[in-house]
Amino acid sequence: MNTERLKAGKEKAEKPAAKKQRPDPARLCAARVLADVVLEHAFSNESLDRHLRSADLTREEAAFATALTYGTLSRYPALDLQLNKLLEKNLDSLDVWVGICLRLGAWQILYSYATPASAAVNESVKLCRYFGKESATGLVNAVLRKLDRARIEGKITFRSKEIGPSLGLSTELFGLFRKWYGEEAAVSIGRAFLDDDVWLTLRVNPRQGSVEELRAAFLGNGAEVESGRYLPGALRIKGGERHLDELEAYRTGLFMVQDEAAQLCGVLSGCEKAKEIIDVCAAPGGKTCDFAERSPDGARILAMDLNMERLQKLKQNAERLGLHITCLERDASQTDLAQNLRDEGLLSAEGADFVLADVPCSGLGLLRRKAEIRLRMSYEELLRFPPLQQKILETAASLVRVGGHLMYSTCTLNPQENENLVRSFLSSQAGRNFRIKPLSGKLPPKLRADLSKEASSRRLLEEGFILLRPDLVPLDGFFIALMEKEA
């Protein structure tokens, strides 16, 4: 796609004529989020939150806009496959706004059983007209009506070689999952990523209150509340009359939004006794703040990241949660980091008690919540992560004292970024004094039981690695390894 041409079209389309009939606000919100994702490479969750706040939607409209946005992104390959069967030109060759209108309409027709097909077609035509694409309204109308007829006649099918797109995965991405885990597991993983989980997971800040106080705060806001799936410090919420950051519980630092998979890092860290803690890739800071909440009074918490804007968010959260965390703009892949920190008086001569390397990764464990990764990740893109991760892990290792602990974590399911990389590190010069510290005994019993049901997951657990596969446990895909430094 010609990005400059598309961006120019976006600017033009965002200035519709006053006389044009305004489309449904929820669909308009979803269209703008998709444009941000496609044109600006935005994160869908951040873009959606911004547009929901500015659109002044009702609770029902906001719920529909959310479902429409994530549903369309999650089914992108499937939608493109079916639409291309009905188009004379490839979908990607059309104007970006026309493509967005077609995909939004197609998702409503094929996957939103609560939306009448006639409404999906008519509202997509309105959207197309609203964004200044009058000449394409006939195309949008005709193609979506053909799609609906094909659905009614049972002609929406996928061939055996199209199993990836049927699960919302590109053929290349599905092939990678199949290579790593086998076809049956790859299908199971793909289906798990399509589960529609509208609940939001929170972590209580024990320094400010209890889980029961947090539960009461959200019940008072009209939200549905249930306990976390595995961890006692987690709550899941849905709905509510006011936005999270409008609540007193938010302003007083009673909670932070964090999936239970990420919360597991804190649970397994052993930070309750650590006096010197370093997070080398910290922003936006969910795990760093969790460590700080668990650490003893007087512990020194150092958070580093390359992105100063994201570090600023960490600072804001730490202040809100009542935590003291030192934030530094640093490159965690630099081999002289330990010496530089010692020269600045930020690292003791012995080293830190606990260091986290939650490294940049392909994010393949987040396809449910960050569906735009489906559009961007390829095998070629995957190759750039392990060399950087290896450098960061080696640098992080240089910060750890003898007897201290090094935790490595990712939010991906790629073995080359997970267990294979840690094995390589342990056999290298940089990792020669480290050994895996088994974590199975520290896992919540239900989580340990769920991870032990599948053979490959059980073998990793026995080796000391934790891999959260979303088809085995209903959490984000996540990997954790904890290592101890010996003399």
Side-chain angles (χ1 to χ4, degrees), residues 359-364 377 384-385 389 408-412 417-418:
V359 296
C361 71
S362 56
L364 294 179
M377 197 51 59
R384 74 180 181 88
F385 289 103
Q389 293 161 342
Y408 176 84
S409 65
T410 75
C411 52
T412 187
E417 300 177 67
N418 293 342

Side-chain angles (χ1 to χ4, degrees), residues 2-62:
N2 186 323
T3 305
E4 294 304 318
R5 177 176 64 83
L6 296 182
K7 287 186 177 180
K10 182 176 187 285
E11 293 173 1
K12 180 180 178 181
E14 286 287 22
K15 298 177 182 179
K19 292 183 179 179
K20 290 179 182 173
Q21 184 180 5
R22 192 174 182 86
D24 167 63
R27 292 177 171 89
L28 179 59
C29 177
R32 285 173 168 156
V33 175
L34 260 63
D36 286 349
V37 169
V38 172
L39 299 179
E40 311 293 343
H41 297 284
F43 294 115
S44 57
N45 57 338
E46 294 178 359
S47 175
L48 180 62
D49 184 64
R50 183 173 68 255
H51 285 295
L52 286 177
R53 287 171 181 268
S54 62
D56 193 27
L57 304 180
T58 66
R59 186 185 299 187
E60 291 75 17
E61 288 171 337

Side-chain angles (χ1 to χ4, degrees), residues 232-250:
L235 276 186
R236 285 160 43 86
I237 64 152
K238 180 170 67 173
E241 297 171 5
R242 291 182 293 165
H243 197 273
L244 294 185
D245 60 12
E246 298 174 347
L247 302 177
E248 181 69 15
Y250 177 85

Side-chain angles (χ1 to χ4, degrees), residues 247-317:
L247 302 177
E248 181 69 15
Y250 177 85
R251 291 192 292 269
T252 57
L254 185 53
F255 70 91
M256 191 163 188
V257 177
Q258 189 178 40
D259 188 80
E260 282 183 80
Q263 291 185 39
L264 197 59
C265 287
V267 171
L268 301 175
S269 66
C271 280
E272 291 79 5
K273 297 181 180 179
K275 292 297 183 75
E276 193 171 359
I277 298 169
I278 301 177
D279 188 344
V280 298
C281 302
K287 300 178 190 68
T288 319
C289 290
D290 193 4
F291 300 148
E293 292 165 12
R294 296 172 181 275
S295 65
D297 292 339
R300 182 163 66 178
I301 319 292
L302 185 60
M304 298 183 291
D305 204 274
L306 264 178
N307 190 316
M308 197 61 208
E309 183 179 345
R310 284 162 59 82
L311 268 178
Q312 191 59 39
K313 293 182 180 179
L314 194 161
K315 289 181 180 180
Q316 293 168 355
N317 274 318

Side-chain angles (χ1 to χ4, degrees), residues 154-432:
K155 296 180 179 178
I156 303 298
T157 58
F158 296 90
R159 293 174 292 175
S160 58
K161 67 178 183 179
E162 297 169 344
I163 189 169
S166 75
L167 296 167
L169 302 172
S170 68
T171 300
E172 182 180 31
L173 194 51
F174 178 75
L176 289 170
F177 282 125
R178 182 172 53 199
K179 175 184 176 182
W180 298 332
Y181 299 106
E183 179 146 352
E184 183 179 348
V187 170
S188 178
I189 290 169
R191 286 175 178 162
F193 279 133
L194 290 173
D195 287 346
D196 183 21
D197 185 4
V198 297
W199 293 78
L200 188 67
T201 304
L202 313 176
R203 185 193 78 242
V204 70
N205 177 4
R207 291 176 177 250
Q208 300 294 346
S210 66
V211 171
E212 290 312 311
E213 287 177 278
L214 185 58
R215 185 189 300 272
F218 277 95
L219 288 173
N221 188 44
E224 295 180 56
V225 184
E226 63 179 37
S227 298
R229 289 182 165 121
Y230 297 104
L231 304 180
L235 276 186
R236 285 160 43 86
I237 64 152
K238 180 170 67 173
E241 297 171 5
R242 291 182 293 165
H243 197 273
L244 294 185
D245 60 12
E246 298 174 347
L247 302 177
E248 181 69 15
Y250 177 85
R251 291 192 292 269
T252 57
L254 185 53
F255 70 91
M256 191 163 188
V257 177
Q258 189 178 40
D259 188 80
E260 282 183 80
Q263 291 185 39
L264 197 59
C265 287
V267 171
L268 301 175
S269 66
C271 280
E272 291 79 5
K273 297 181 180 179
K275 292 297 183 75
E276 193 171 359
I277 298 169
I278 301 177
D279 188 344
V280 298
C281 302
K287 300 178 190 68
T288 319
C289 290
D290 193 4
F291 300 148
E293 292 165 12
R294 296 172 181 275
S295 65
D297 292 339
R300 182 163 66 178
I301 319 292
L302 185 60
M304 298 183 291
D305 204 274
L306 264 178
N307 190 316
M308 197 61 208
E309 183 179 345
R310 284 162 59 82
L311 268 178
Q312 191 59 39
K313 293 182 180 179
L314 194 161
K315 289 181 180 180
Q316 293 168 355
N317 274 318
E319 182 177 349
R320 178 179 62 83
L321 295 165
L323 306 170
H324 180 68
I325 297 174
T326 301
C327 296
L328 291 174
E329 188 176 8
R330 291 288 190 279
D331 183 352
S333 68
Q334 296 302 304
T335 56
D336 57 355
L337 180 61
Q339 188 58 53
N340 291 340
L341 291 177
R342 287 190 174 98
D343 291 344
E344 297 174 60
L346 297 171
L347 176 66
S348 64
E350 298 79 11
D353 301 303
F354 177 85
V355 177
L356 172 69
D358 182 52
V359 296
C361 71
S362 56
L364 294 179
L366 305 179
L367 297 186
R368 185 189 291 118
R369 291 194 296 114
K370 295 185 177 180
E372 66 276 5
I373 295 173
R374 300 166 187 264
L375 283 61
R376 300 171 184 169
M377 197 51 59
S378 64
Y379 176 70
E380 184 177 359
E381 180 72 7
L382 283 177
L383 294 178
R384 74 180 181 88
F385 289 103
L388 174 62
Q389 293 161 342
Q390 190 79 28
K391 286 182 179 179
I392 293 174
L393 183 54
E394 290 175 358
T395 298
S398 70
L399 307 176
V400 184
R401 68 167 176 82
V402 173
H405 294 96
L406 170 63
M407 179 176 280
Y408 176 84
S409 65
T410 75
C411 52
T412 187
L413 302 179
N414 176 11
Q416 300 306 318
E417 300 177 67
N418 293 342
E419 62 268 24
N420 291 350
L421 189 137
V422 174
R423 290 172 186 142
S424 175
F425 165 75
L426 291 172
S427 64
S428 71
Q429 183 74 7
R432 70 189 187 281

